[in-house]
Amino acid sequence: MKALDELTFDNRFARLGDAFSTHVLPEPLDEPRLVVASKAAMALLDLDPAAAETSVFAELFGGHKLWAEAEPRAMVYSGHQFGGYTPQLGDGRGLLLGEVYNEAGEHWDLHLKGAGMTPYSRMGDGRAVLRSSIREFLASEALHALGIPTSRALCVIGSSTPVWREKQERGAMVLRLAHSHIRFGHFEYFYYTKKPEQQAELAEHVLNLHYPECREQPEPYLAMFREIVERNAEMIAKWQAYGFCHGVMNTDNMSILGITFDFGPFAFLDDFDAHFICNHSDHEGRYSFSNQVPIGQWNLSALAQALTPFISVDALKEALGLYLPLYQAHYLDLMRRRLGLTTAEDADQQLVERLLKLMQNSGVDYTLFLRHLGDEPAALAVARLRDDFVDLAGFDAWAEQYKARVARDGDYTQEQRRERMHAVNPLYILRNYLAQNAIAAAESGDYSEVRRLHDVLTRPFEEQAGMEQYAQRPPDWGKHLEISCSS
Ligand code: AMP
Ligand code: MG
């Protein structure tokens, strides 16, 4: 266990120099205070959880203090936003404070979001508001608990600093952890600005630090790209299987590590809706729930284009071709498990699709349906869940098919079935309205709801006594909340 001043830094990205990032000091928030901290994320840095309660914690992550070994840098990158190329983006309000390594030898980037203006702030104020910082914190930790690869969040620090969005709000900072903050857009930046030397340096950096096993392959860069394709296919399969909608899948928000990254107007589905659009400025539905799958491939193609100096076009195309089949395999595997199946049959895909269509037509709660499907033996469970459907004949036909499929699947007790299904079907997810309630309380100075919700979401598969209110369908007001993208 370490105290805050015992962190050990090794700032590998900063050492790449000024072509990659710019030295910028954080701009402190007024009256910084702890809103919430993740003990699990603190453990990644070997930090003593008691450290979160100290005033120096809020000062460090509120931009007032800095470790002597930290080297705060704003990274430069670019990216495709809603399909169009933006030649220069970069950390407009976030700073990579440094890289810390823990006792297990893992490096973690400490990234402070909302840390003030940088050379890449463009028209922005460099700030993040409390609302969006809480959302990023809760989502990071909730996705992690569901087993979905993601950046992590150490804490949110609130303040009295006024920040203007549609109305006056308060500034906050969220401390994000990831093994790297390098995005697809980093490669695009050096490709489109025609800086081959820096691009090669970046590629070497990523290969050496994050994909060292690819060094052993005959074509290390190709092996690395393939691995990135595979990780993205798996990540997006998990988003789809758990009903997570990212909302802003621009290539500057896609991590080179294949982790969920840069949380904005994201949402988990309440009612199943393949066409759901969580970002209300996404008028075309480019990033709608079901479009996440082809957009994942589109984004990988944009990365592939930026890697053409290192890898032949044919090889890149072949690697891109792995994406859809891998996605399908991961998705189907997870959905089978969510349905409680332990074996594979060809018709399983159709079984899943038919169920989703029925849920879509009846507005059935996606998470709760699958959770309750495991509560009781299949025949009893479907009989109880039937009432949620409008097309009863359609549901009955599906239920017959499902029961027959379960009977063929294997011989196990209901206890085994429930245990297995509940281990993959969460009872608690980060519903928008739950986040909204916690944010409203936090905005009036009461952080207890954010902390409680965070705590519930760290054990999403475990029924928790006294927490029934977090496992309900949303009230009507909470179903179609418009989440502001101004964050
Ligand atoms: P995002 O949509 O949050 O991924 O941000 C897209 C780009 O805008 C990134 O380069 C951000 O750093 C930048 N940005 C977003 N909000 C702000 C802000 N309030 N101040 C400065 N830059 C921002
Ligand atoms: Mg971003």
Side-chain angles (χ1 to χ4, degrees):
M1 239 25 138
K2 285 182 180 172
L4 276 166
D5 57 1
E6 291 170 335
L7 295 181
T8 25
F9 284 83
D10 176 17
N11 305 321
R12 305 170 302 180
F13 191 88
R15 288 201 289 275
L16 289 175
D18 292 342
F20 297 86
S21 63
T22 306
H23 173 79
V24 182
L25 287 173
E27 210 179 301
L29 289 171
D30 302 329
E31 304 180 83
R33 73 226 40 184
L34 178 71
V35 174
V36 61
S38 164
K39 292 192 169 60
M42 289 178 77
L44 300 172
L45 307 180
D46 307 320
L47 275 178
D48 179 352
E53 306 304 329
T54 61
S55 57
V56 66
F57 189 86
E59 285 163 2
L60 278 166
F61 300 118
H64 285 260
K65 281 199 170 143
L66 212 51
W67 296 264
E69 296 169 276
E71 292 176 76
R73 313 282 300 190
M75 296 167 128
V76 62
Y77 52 81
S78 63
H80 280 85
Q81 299 184 302
F82 289 91
Y85 186 64
T86 306
Q88 194 188 297
L89 291 161
D91 291 332
R93 54 170 167 171
L95 293 174
L96 177 59
L97 295 181
E99 293 166 65
V100 164
Y101 61 93
N102 63 18
E103 270 151 24
E106 294 168 338
H107 280 69
W108 288 98
D109 282 3
L110 304 191
H111 179 100
L112 193 59
K113 193 163 174 179
M117 303 250 269
T118 78
Y120 314 108
S121 296
R122 299 185 297 165
M123 312 300 282
D125 58 5
R127 289 303 190 194
V129 293
L130 182 61
R131 163 175 56 80
S132 65
S133 305
I134 289 174
R135 281 173 52 85
E136 168 139 6
F137 176 90
L138 291 174
S140 311
E141 295 305 282
L143 261 72
H144 173 72
L146 290 171
I148 303 178
T150 177
S151 60
R152 302 292 302 274
L154 189 84
C155 63
V156 175
I157 302 299
S159 78
S160 59
T161 303
V163 175
W164 286 94
R165 293 296 179 256
E166 283 94 355
K167 57 182 173 46
Q168 186 184 293
E169 300 189 42
R170 299 291 168 190
M173 294 187 190
V174 57
L175 194 284
R176 179 163 67 191
L177 299 174
H179 294 309
S180 169
H181 275 67
I182 298 175
R183 305 146 192 263
F184 290 10
H186 276 86
F187 283 91
E188 293 182 283
Y189 175 76
F190 293 105
Y191 174 74
Y192 289 106
T193 53
K194 302 196 167 57
K195 293 180 177 155
E197 279 120 59
Q198 276 100 342
Q199 217 209 1
E201 241 183 293
L202 179 72
E204 281 295 294
H205 178 89
V206 174
L207 186 66
N208 288 335
L209 301 189
H210 305 295
Y211 293 95
E213 64 291 348
C214 295
R215 275 251 168 263
E216 320 298 318
Q217 301 291 318
E219 283 193 67
Y221 287 136
L222 175 59
M224 175 167 84
F225 180 65
R226 239 190 239 129
E227 178 74 24
I228 295 169
V229 170
E230 288 172 17
R231 290 192 194 184
N232 272 269
E234 186 168 352
M235 171 186 76
I236 292 174
K238 290 184 173 172
W239 290 1
Q240 302 309 114
Y242 283 109
F244 176 76
C245 203
H246 181 284
V248 201
M249 290 174 71
N250 294 336
T251 56
D252 52 296
N253 292 337
M254 300 305 291
S255 155
I256 205 74
L257 301 181
I259 60 175
T260 315
F261 202 64
D262 261 16
F263 295 89
F266 71 84
F268 277 89
L269 298 181
D270 291 309
D271 297 354
F272 183 81
D273 180 5
H275 314 299
F276 182 67
I277 302 166
C278 60
N279 182 348
H280 74 112
S281 45
D282 181 7
H283 306 293
E284 321 263 281
R286 179 181 173 87
Y287 300 138
S288 72
F289 180 64
S290 58
N291 270 359
Q292 296 190 121
V293 181
I295 287 291
Q297 182 156 26
W298 194 97
N299 288 340
L300 287 161
S301 314
L303 175 62
Q305 180 66 45
L307 294 176
T308 49
F310 309 113
I311 309 167
S312 78
V313 170
D314 285 345
L316 285 165
K317 280 192 177 151
E318 201 182 310
L320 278 171
L322 299 171
Y323 172 82
L324 268 182
L326 277 172
Y327 162 79
Q328 271 300 342
H330 281 300
Y331 177 74
L332 199 54
D333 176 58
L334 248 172
M335 291 309 289
R336 277 193 186 105
R337 292 200 279 141
R338 295 203 72 181
L339 289 175
L341 303 174
T342 60
T343 57
E345 285 186 8
D346 287 345
D348 291 344
Q349 177 157 350
Q350 197 216 4
L351 188 72
V352 171
E353 283 168 7
R354 282 182 64 193
L355 173 64
L356 295 183
K357 198 157 273 163
L358 287 159
M359 289 175 125
Q360 168 102 35
N361 292 341
S362 298
V364 172
D365 191 273
Y366 183 54
T367 301
L368 291 179
F369 177 90
L370 289 169
R371 175 73 182 195
H372 294 316
L373 192 61
D375 285 349
E376 294 167 301
L380 271 176
V382 292
R384 205 181 291 275
L385 290 163
R386 183 175 187 265
D387 287 348
D388 285 349
F389 290 82
V390 177
D391 174 7
L392 289 176
F395 182 71
D396 289 343
W398 181 84
E400 286 311 310
Q401 199 190 348
Y402 177 65
K403 285 186 283 182
R405 177 68 183 86
V406 169
R408 285 195 305 278
D409 189 54
D411 204 8
Y412 34 76
T413 66
Q414 170 54 20
E415 280 64 44
Q416 290 168 323
R417 178 173 178 271
R418 183 194 297 119
E419 194 178 320
R420 201 175 59 231
M421 287 180 76
H422 284 186
V424 289
N425 290 320
L427 183 56
Y428 311 103
I429 54 158
L430 180 56
R431 297 178 188 272
N432 260 342
Y433 91 96
L434 292 174
Q436 204 47 47
N437 283 341
I439 288 165
E443 285 178 338
S444 63
D446 175 3
Y447 305 138
S448 61
E449 185 55 23
V450 178
R451 294 177 187 186
R452 191 158 46 239
L453 181 57
H454 165 238
D455 200 48
V456 169
L457 294 170
T458 55
R459 288 171 291 140
F461 301 108
E462 220 178 279
E463 193 163 343
Q464 298 168 42
M467 297 299 164
E468 295 77 15
Q469 73 272 29
Y470 297 100
Q472 306 293 326
R473 300 191 61 160
D476 281 340
W477 68 264
K479 268 199 173 173
H480 301 287
L481 287 174
E482 291 218 325
I483 299 302
S484 166
C485 328
S486 64
S487 57

